[in-house]
Amino acid sequence: CVELDADTAARLAAAGIPFAVVVNSRGAADTCDAAWRPDGLAATVPVLWASAREGWGLEGIRAALARLAPAGALKQPPLVHDLLPEHGTLLLVVPLDSGAPQGRLILPQVQTIRDSLDGRCLCLVVTEEQLPQAFAALREPPDLVVCDSQVVHVAARLTPPSVPLTTFSILMARAKGDLVDLARGAAALTRLRPGQTVLVQEACSHHAQKDDIGRVKIPRLLARLAGGPVETPMLAGKEFTEYAGDAAAVVHCGACAITRGQMLARLDEARAHGLPMTNYGMCISLAQGVLERVLSPFPEALAAWRAEAQLPGYPVTTGHASCPGGHMPGPLFAVIGIIVMFLVMRWFVRPPP
């Protein structure tokens, strides 16, 4: 007796994920009813017969998978080299802090190096302390600087304004998710208030460190943005079903441990619950006041951030380290203006003798 998991089939169809039904047969291939279909299954869904024990039918499954794969699924988009001119120069800033693994680089850094080589670009890797030396050693400025989010404030200060700058996390947001949507979601963090809840989500289950980014650093930066403590429950692991509870936003990791499809599914789930989502790198850059700088290589994402952040009393500027995301609250701006006018009047308008 063969029963179809109707709930799973319905969820796949609702998510727009192509699929096939495979019936694992105990008998020989010539004893199967090729015309049989489970009740309620859409006519467009293939039904395949195979035998895991005997080995027949496996080639048909492989062929069906190749046919069902969405366009582009078997070939990943470039991570960074499409942002560079032909034979361009890429400068990577990689900190060797307590969070760096001993004797190796983390996955997004390795992937960026490999992608630059695939694009036949020149790639130079330095620490943040070596950044001035790197600029001095290059005859021409690099075409792009990519840094770890945790040293973005240093890289932004040392990188000339004429040189494009972004972060590994933002590159991953573009490759694994929807960069425009994640940039738009970052604006929700400008409206945080003390006591609110922000879900912090990681796609892997690494061992937490003393100064763990998701459990220590991100909550600390969120509290700074909110002006007081916020609740930051952690959701960790590849297996994930749905968001529950009342939260102001979701801050996700770079998603290097999951596929683009899995990350997009999480974005869709958050959107269905009315939850804005952004990622670690944008949260850090926002708190450091350089989000617009690191989004500048991506005009569409930058425009989405500006449009969403353009709120009453929150005029968007080019960014300043003392004001997250380059904002100065409207009431504060008005008070400063009144004080300046008062001082000017006191200086120039003197009482008669």
Side-chain angles (χ1 to χ4, degrees):
C1 179
V2 179
E3 294 184 3
L4 175 68
D5 186 346
D7 180 61
T8 299
R11 290 177 64 185
L12 289 169
I17 300 174
F19 68 98
V21 173
V22 178
V23 182
N24 186 24
S25 174
R26 296 178 182 176
D30 55 5
T31 64
C32 299
D33 182 4
W36 177 87
R37 297 182 63 82
D39 294 335
L41 184 67
T44 55
V45 178
V47 176
L48 310 172
W49 289 78
S51 173
R53 182 172 60 183
E54 303 297 333
W56 57 264
L58 302 184
E59 284 300 323
I61 295 175
R62 296 188 186 100
L65 289 174
R67 290 194 305 270
L68 290 170
L74 302 180
K75 183 178 181 181
Q76 294 296 318
L79 186 61
V80 69
H81 75 253
D82 62 319
L83 301 174
L84 303 168
E86 187 177 5
H87 306 303
T89 301
L90 176 66
L91 180 55
L92 305 182
V93 186
V94 176
L96 298 180
D97 55 15
S98 59
Q102 190 71 26
R104 62 182 179 88
L105 301 176
I106 62 174
L107 185 57
Q109 296 163 358
V110 174
Q111 290 175 325
T112 304
I113 294 171
R114 173 57 195 261
D115 188 79
S116 69
L117 297 176
D118 287 340
R120 300 301 184 262
C121 300
L122 178 64
C123 182
L124 178 61
V125 185
V126 299
T127 64
E128 66 273 24
E129 296 89 352
Q130 297 172 311
L131 192 52
Q133 182 183 350
F135 280 117
L138 291 171
R139 182 179 301 174
E140 298 290 338
D143 298 293
L144 178 67
V145 175
V146 181
C147 69
D148 189 283
S149 297
Q150 299 189 66
V151 294
V152 67
H153 57 295
V154 177
R157 176 168 49 84
L158 297 177
T159 301
S162 59
V163 177
L165 170 70
T166 193
T167 68
F168 291 106
S169 187
I170 289 175
L171 292 181
M172 295 301 294
R174 185 178 73 133
K176 290 297 184 79
D178 184 332
L179 178 59
V180 172
D181 205 24
L182 291 167
R184 189 180 294 116
L189 303 184
T190 66
R191 302 188 288 270
L192 276 183
R193 297 294 178 264
Q196 288 187 305
T197 298
V198 177
L199 302 177
V200 181
Q201 189 167 13
E202 290 184 343
C204 63
S205 53
H206 68 273
H207 293 289
Q209 300 181 355
K210 181 179 179 181
D211 200 22
D212 191 73
I213 182 170
R215 293 162 179 82
V216 179
K217 294 180 180 179
I218 293 295
R220 187 164 57 213
L221 293 175
L222 291 172
R224 182 196 299 179
L225 289 168
V230 295
E231 298 295 323
T232 54
M234 168 63 71
L235 306 175
K238 292 184 179 181
E239 299 300 325
F240 176 74
T241 53
E242 62 180 0
Y243 298 99
D246 184 25
V250 181
V251 180
H252 203 286
C253 70
C256 64
I258 58 177
T259 66
R260 175 175 170 81
Q262 288 173 304
M263 183 61 197
L264 290 173
R266 295 183 178 199
L267 268 166
D268 289 341
E269 184 69 22
R271 193 181 298 113
H273 283 75
L275 283 173
M277 179 185 282
T278 190
N279 76 350
Y280 283 8
M282 294 191 205
C283 174
I284 294 171
S285 296
L286 175 64
Q288 298 292 350
V290 295
L291 181 57
E292 293 211 354
R293 174 79 189 274
V294 296
L295 284 178
S296 60
F298 312 99
E300 190 177 354
L302 179 59
W305 148 255
R306 285 176 169 168
E308 189 69 22
Q310 190 75 281
L311 303 172
Y314 247 95
V316 176
T317 67
T318 56
H320 190 279
S322 61
C323 298
H327 297 298
M328 178 178 287
L332 177 59
F333 185 82
V335 170
I336 292 174
I338 293 171
I339 293 173
V340 170
M341 290 178 61
F342 175 76
L343 293 175
V344 170
M345 294 293 292
R346 284 288 302 271
W347 180 264
F348 288 102
V349 183
R350 305 192 179 192

